[in-house]
Each structure stands twice: as structure tokens, then as C-alpha cells.
Amino acid sequence: MAGIYIHVPFCRKACHYCDFYFTVSLKYIDDYVEALLAEFLIRKKEGENTPVKTIYLGGGTPSVLEKDHLSRILDQISGVFGIDDGAELTIEANPDDLERPYLIDLRELGFRRLSIGVQSFHQSDLELMNRSHSAEQSSRSILQAKEAGIDNINMDLIYGLPGLSQKGWEKNLKTTMELPVNHISAYHLTYEPRTVFHHWRKKGRLTELPEDTSIEQYMLLREITAVHGFEHYEISNFALPGFRSEHNSTYWSGQAYLGFGPSAHSFMGNERRWNVASLGKYIQNIKDGSPMHESEQLSIADQYNETLITSLRTDRGVDLQIIRERYGEDAKQDLLERATVYIQREEMKREEDILKMTPEGWLRSDLIISNLMIDE
């Protein structure tokens, strides 16, 4: 099996920009773990006859889980599905959770990849976002992770924040380059409905950064990471050679994966499934033996569009021969015809049988990809 994603919905604080499903109440962690272990057993037949190659604990804040919780989760996955000897095990964490004893526990459990939610090295930004850690904790957590023997470290950053100057963003990037990280996930701030930031913007309490400034920050991100040897391999992801995210690459290459926990999504080629986005309902439905998910069957058009959405996010692009083999010669020619205008604008390029976005195209990827997609 390609990969397993586990959604851990607990957070110590509610970040003002986040629209993922989470709860700030930690009192149901034990009940959640019991339900999760049961879900693995319930869905045993969905696993392929090959061991899991990647496991990713996201959230929420998975680092609120204790060593015993994590050990039981991994033991259950191993017993139900099997875990490949060289599997990539990733856990997301906040800097304030990463004291040395916990980091050693993670390493001993087999987590050889750590994704740390730094977001910014400016204390004012962290307070604006309502993050639970300080700027000083960010740097210290990364250094301590390296000292604890975890060599594969990703760091999350956010740009386009209200009031973030080009100089401030440059300082974030230069600080990052001084730390032992080999992967960077850098996201432009989005004002998602039902978030505090969205509400504040509507009320005039926040002013969105001008688009030109956001573009300048994106270009500076590309420039500084390239100078330090990072490959820009997906819209928001940069890696030193050999350190691309194996788990996320399964998403972008269209491989099947299973998602567990409340609100987690699964993808099985022609079916997409998502668990109920409620911790209480998730736990109760598993206890009752009731369905804890909804699903949809993907049409041929859906599958085609899914291929474009995932592959064009990466530097590998979309293989035109695969389009022809799966969807026919007409689909291939239609894609090339639609892409012509973007190739002329140098927002896309064709390299033999590979069609891909340029870095300039990634700036408008949502619009471009939507214009390449087909209807039923």
C-alpha cells in the first residue's frame, strides 16, 4: 500500500488562519486513540497485500499525543496492514511540544521525518496568528531535533501575512537557511471562511497584503531556496536533493492512500472517501458500528481532472502518453490545445511528452488548471 494518513484533531490553541478540523479540548485523546485503533481493524480489507510505505500523522497537532499513544497506533498499523522496513514515518509537531525527551521518543518509535509548524520567526506574527509557541522555541526545537538524531526535518512557513514586509520575509528565510532543515513547505496565507482572519478582514481589522507584495515574497522564496540548493518540486514545497516528501508525493502522483481519524480523506483511484468531521460522532459511530464516512464515485472526467490537479502541482508535470493511454488521443489533443495559450505566455512548457507549469504559471495555477479541466 502506498500510504496512510492519520488526522489527529487536537490543538492547544486555535490558530486564527486554520480551517482544518480540530478541537482545543484534549480530554478525549484516549477515546480518540481507541476509536482509531478500531477503525484500522474495520478497514483491514481495504489494504493491499503489500506493507505500508508511508505513514503521515497530521492535524491538528499530532505532537500532543504521548509516546504510548503513538506506540499503540504504530503497533496496530503494523499488525493490521504491515509496515515496510524502509517506510517514511512523518509526524507534524509544534515547536513548544519538542523537548529533548519527546524527540528521543519519536526517534525510537521510528519517526525519521519531522514536520515542524514554525510559520514565522517574528514574535508579532506568531501572536497575530495565535500560535502556541514563541519565536525562540522555533529555532531551538529544530536544533534539538537534529541533536536527538532526527535528520529529516521539514519546516512550515507562511508568507503573505498582513503587515509582513519584504525585509521581514527575507529575515524569515535567512533564519531558516541557518538551521538544519532539508525540506520547506511555504504557503501563502489564505482567508478561509469560518476562520478568525476571514472575520477580521470582513470587519476591517486586517488588511490583506497587496498582490504585488505577495508575488515579490514568492519570488524571493524561490531565489533564496535555490541559492541554498533546494529544489522547488511542488507549488509550495522545496527540498534538498533526496529529501522530497515521499508521502505527499503519493498524493501528487495519483496513488491510492487511506485516511483515518475524523475528517480524514482517502483516495482509491475511482473513489474518494472522507470521514465525518466531528470527533464525537467519529468515536460514537465506531462504537455503534455505524458508518463514519461518506464517499463518491469518480467519473472518467473526474479522474482526468484529478490527474491534472495533482500532477501539474509538481515539477514532474503531466505525462501526455499517460493521458492518451487512460483517456484517449482526443483528450491528449484537447489538453494540448487548451494549454497552447499558457505555453505562449511561458506559464507552461512542453518537454517532449511532458506538459508542466513554469514557476510563473504556478502563481496562477488555480485559474490555469481550472481552464484545462473538462466537464462531464
Side-chain angles (χ1 to χ4, degrees):
M1 186 195 310
I4 281 178
Y5 172 78
I6 299 168
H7 190 73
V8 183
F10 303 101
C11 289
R12 301 189 191 279
K13 294 178 72 174
C15 296
H16 288 163
Y17 57 86
C18 181
D19 73 332
F20 293 149
Y21 173 69
F22 68 93
T23 174
V24 294
S25 172
L26 307 184
K27 64 181 179 179
Y28 294 111
I29 286 181
D30 289 339
D31 293 332
Y32 158 80
V33 172
E34 293 299 329
L36 187 65
L37 300 181
E39 188 186 1
F40 292 142
L41 285 171
I42 291 169
R43 300 177 62 188
K44 180 176 182 178
K45 292 182 180 178
E46 296 176 31
E48 301 170 359
N49 293 322
T50 56
V52 178
K53 294 183 179 178
T54 66
I55 299 172
Y56 192 106
L57 274 69
T61 312
S63 54
V64 304
L65 298 182
E66 298 175 0
K67 180 181 181 180
D68 180 63
H69 297 134
L70 296 170
S71 178
R72 294 182 66 201
I73 290 169
L74 294 177
D75 285 347
Q76 188 80 324
I77 294 174
S78 180
V80 173
F81 300 107
I83 301 176
D84 189 88
D85 288 340
E88 178 193 80
L89 272 60
T90 303
I91 183 169
E92 292 182 353
N94 277 353
D96 46 311
D97 291 326
L98 296 179
E99 297 299 333
R100 182 174 174 80
Y102 189 69
L103 286 161
I104 292 173
D105 287 342
L106 293 179
R107 187 197 65 194
E108 291 178 347
L109 287 168
F111 287 98
R112 60 185 181 92
R113 187 170 188 272
L114 185 62
S115 182
I116 304 177
V118 170
Q119 316 310 354
S120 176
F121 289 102
H122 301 294
Q123 190 61 36
S124 58
D125 289 343
L126 297 175
E127 292 172 2
L128 177 67
M129 291 184 281
N130 201 39
R131 296 291 293 168
S132 62
H133 66 276
S134 68
E136 189 275 332
Q137 284 175 316
S138 296
S139 297
R140 189 178 70 206
S141 67
I142 294 169
L143 293 171
Q144 289 187 159
K146 180 69 173 179
E147 291 170 2
I150 299 177
D151 297 320
N152 194 343
I153 301 173
N154 170 68
M155 196 181 80
D156 286 350
L157 288 172
I158 296 178
Y159 63 101
L161 286 166
L164 179 63
S165 66
Q166 189 78 338
K167 185 176 180 180
W169 177 234
E170 183 176 9
K171 182 180 178 182
N172 273 340
L173 292 171
K174 288 186 174 179
T175 302
T176 299
M177 296 307 156
E178 294 170 355
L179 294 167
V181 298
N182 32 44
H183 192 285
I184 299 165
S185 296
Y187 304 99
H188 187 276
L189 175 69
T190 56
Y191 293 83
E192 300 293 345
R194 299 184 300 278
T195 64
V196 172
F197 272 6
H198 184 269
H199 175 71
W200 283 355
R201 186 180 64 169
K202 285 182 64 177
K203 296 294 183 181
R205 289 184 59 182
L206 284 182
T207 301
E208 189 170 356
L209 210 64
E211 183 178 358
D212 287 350
T213 304
S214 291
I215 292 172
E216 288 172 1
Q217 291 183 1
Y218 167 80
M219 300 308 291
L220 184 63
L221 168 66
R222 281 185 42 79
E223 177 186 332
I224 290 180
T225 52
V227 166
H228 287 82
F230 284 79
E231 301 166 340
H232 188 186
Y233 75 102
E234 192 269 346
I235 292 177
S236 303
N237 286 275
F238 305 76
L240 292 176
F243 288 95
R244 297 188 180 200
S245 169
E246 294 176 24
H247 180 83
N248 289 338
S249 293
T250 65
Y251 301 156
W252 303 323
S253 59
Q255 298 182 58
Y257 60 88
L258 300 181
F260 297 87
S263 82
H265 283 236
S266 302
F267 175 73
M268 289 82 78
N270 61 354
E271 181 184 4
R272 188 184 292 112
R273 178 184 295 186
W274 56 96
N275 284 355
V276 59
S278 163
L279 179 62
K281 289 181 179 178
Y282 171 76
I283 292 171
Q284 192 59 51
N285 286 7
I286 286 181
K287 285 182 178 179
D288 295 343
S290 304
M292 83 291 286
H293 70 268
E294 296 181 58
S295 63
E296 64 174 340
Q297 295 296 313
L298 301 180
S299 67
I300 296 299
D302 290 333
Q303 294 174 52
Y304 173 87
N305 292 336
E306 188 88 21
T307 299
L308 297 187
I309 292 169
T310 54
S311 59
L312 288 175
R313 294 182 62 89
T314 73
D315 64 348
R316 294 193 176 102
V318 60
D319 189 324
L320 294 171
Q321 290 308 312
I322 289 178
I323 293 295
R324 182 181 60 78
E325 291 166 7
R326 292 180 181 175
Y327 308 107
E329 179 65 25
D330 288 347
K332 173 187 170 182
Q333 293 304 323
D334 178 72
L335 175 58
L336 286 172
E337 183 177 337
R338 292 175 186 238
T340 298
V341 62
Y342 304 112
I343 293 173
Q344 292 171 345
R345 293 176 184 171
E346 298 186 346
E347 293 175 324
M348 298 188 76
K349 60 182 177 180
R350 181 179 180 181
E351 297 175 349
E352 296 182 352
D353 282 328
I354 302 298
L355 185 66
K356 60 176 66 175
M357 308 278 277
T358 64
E360 292 73 23
W362 273 339
L363 284 167
R364 300 200 315 135
S365 60
D366 288 346
L367 174 64
I368 294 173
I369 293 174
S370 68
N371 289 337
L372 297 177
M373 292 163 61
I374 61 174
D375 299 323
E376 292 288 348

